[in-house]
Amino acid sequence: ESHKKQEQEVFFETSTAAGTTFKVRFPSNDEGARFAVGYWSIRGLAAPLRMMLCAAKVNFDAFQYDLLEQGDDGWSSEYFTEKPTLRERYHQPLMNLPYIVDRKERAVVCQTNACFSYLAREIGMWGESSLDISKCEELLCEIYDIRNIMTGFAYGTPVAERETAGRDAVNKAKGSFKKIETILSSSSDPHYLVGGKATAPDFHLFEMLDQYEDLCKDVSAGDLYERFPCLKAFKINFESLSENQLYLKSQMHTQTPINNCMAVFGSAPGRPLYKRGQAAPWMNQGEIALSP
């Protein structure tokens, strides 16, 4: 009887700590939302995961947790209060952001690249062969290096040094971008990184290119693509794909900041910096329905 009750209950249906929940549904898919993505109310590490699910036309929920001002210079979040409960209730000692909920398997997957690979396997955005799978894994690691340069700059730089440090970050990231340029330039289909189709690393690469484009404008770092014509062509093609339009035109992309409020880059939608005490309309929006 307890087993039947468990089957009737929707696994990880809600998160009370989430300030905003996007409920993304596709008319062509009459199944319930198998997946949920949990992350801060920013683009950050979850943007490619949300974009992958939209492109695959898979119903999902996006739980977004707000980081709020506390006192004169502190920060707090209801996520930190709920985290121990989530860890215990869903038997996930590694509980962290981002996470993927798989309601079919009644499981929660944590750690960023594990989230990418698990989701990609389940929705057909992983490699077709063992070699292609390894290529996906290699690229996810390399693109994470690019992200680490960005986050190191955004969260570890005094505001007074942001322009110089931002240009240094762009130059440092170009080392990894050059490697990916080489991969694309020798590919039979340079519109995709692996196997001539969209795979998980394509989505993370797209997000990082989008962020570094903005950073280049923000700190006057010149043209990101000056020596990377294949990366430029990849970005233009990927953002033009019909399956990516729902996500790219949604609030999850257009009205959600890249980074959290304390960052020196991308801490408010567009390119302005968040100022302590200002309104944050991207937070605490309740439930938002999104469909094509």
Side-chain angles (χ1 to χ4, degrees):
E1 189 171 331
S2 62
H3 180 66
K4 287 182 180 179
K5 182 180 178 183
Q6 187 184 55
E7 286 185 339
Q8 290 171 357
E9 293 175 352
V10 177
F11 180 81
F12 209 139
E13 185 173 16
T14 62
S15 174
T16 57
T20 304
T21 297
F22 283 95
K23 300 182 80 67
V24 184
R25 303 292 185 268
F26 293 88
S28 57
N29 185 345
D30 59 2
E31 297 179 357
R34 174 181 172 183
F35 298 104
V37 180
Y39 196 60
W40 300 113
S41 51
I42 61 173
R43 283 161 53 181
L45 290 164
L49 298 167
R50 299 165 185 153
M51 189 176 182
M52 285 167 64
L53 285 162
C54 285
K57 297 182 172 58
V58 172
N59 295 337
F60 74 100
D61 298 326
F63 301 136
Q64 301 194 174
Y65 300 99
D66 300 333
L67 194 64
L68 304 171
E69 296 177 17
Q70 184 176 52
D72 293 335
D73 56 5
W75 303 93
S76 68
S77 175
E78 291 186 21
Y79 166 72
F80 297 132
T81 304
E82 190 182 37
K83 182 177 179 180
T85 303
L86 298 178
R87 184 190 294 127
E88 182 177 350
R89 180 181 299 161
Y90 300 113
H91 310 291
Q92 177 47 285
L94 303 179
M95 195 71 206
N96 210 349
L97 301 179
Y99 64 75
I100 294 290
V101 175
D102 185 340
R103 292 170 176 142
K104 178 183 175 183
E105 299 297 331
R106 302 185 71 83
V108 180
V109 178
C110 300
Q111 299 298 333
T112 304
N113 279 348
C115 290
F116 276 120
S117 59
Y118 183 84
L119 192 59
R121 286 193 299 271
E122 295 301 308
I123 64 176
M125 291 184 173
W126 208 224
E128 299 289 340
S129 67
S130 295
L131 183 57
D132 280 355
I133 288 170
S134 290
K135 288 179 180 177
C136 286
E137 292 168 336
E138 288 176 338
L139 284 159
L140 285 175
C141 292
E142 188 66 37
I143 297 164
Y144 209 103
D145 289 344
I146 297 172
R147 175 175 289 280
N148 282 341
I149 294 168
M150 173 65 79
T151 54
F153 153 69
Y155 293 103
T157 302
V159 174
E161 300 172 17
R162 65 185 298 274
E163 294 216 1
T164 299
R167 288 191 287 270
D168 288 345
V170 171
N171 288 331
K172 190 174 181 181
K174 283 182 177 179
S176 287
F177 281 135
K178 183 178 179 180
K179 299 176 193 177
I180 299 174
E181 174 75 14
T182 301
I183 290 171
L184 289 172
S185 67
S186 60
S187 172
S188 59
D189 186 351
H191 289 148
Y192 301 101
L193 288 167
V194 180
K197 56 176 283 190
T199 56
D202 290 315
F203 292 88
H204 204 176
L205 176 60
F206 173 84
E207 175 66 17
M208 295 320 301
L209 290 171
D210 208 47
Q211 291 187 22
Y212 275 93
E213 279 183 24
D214 277 357
L215 180 58
C216 285
K217 295 171 187 172
D218 209 38
V219 299
S220 303
D223 179 7
L224 177 65
Y225 302 110
E226 184 179 2
R227 298 182 182 180
F228 305 137
C230 292
L231 279 171
K232 183 176 183 178
F234 165 88
K235 173 71 161 39
I236 291 170
N237 177 73
F238 206 70
E239 66 188 354
S240 72
L241 295 175
S242 60
E243 59 264 35
N244 289 332
Q245 298 314 300
L246 176 67
Y247 171 80
L248 291 175
K249 293 175 181 177
S250 75
Q251 289 176 250
M252 290 187 289
H253 182 70
T254 63
Q255 297 177 43
T256 303
I258 291 170
N259 294 313
N260 258 319
C261 297
M262 71 287 288
V264 298
F265 165 71
S267 54
R271 297 206 311 275
L273 291 185
Y274 177 85
K275 294 181 180 178
R276 206 168 182 85
Q278 77 166 65
W282 61 91
M283 296 187 192
N284 196 29
Q285 299 181 85
E287 192 174 289
I288 299 175
L290 181 63
S291 62

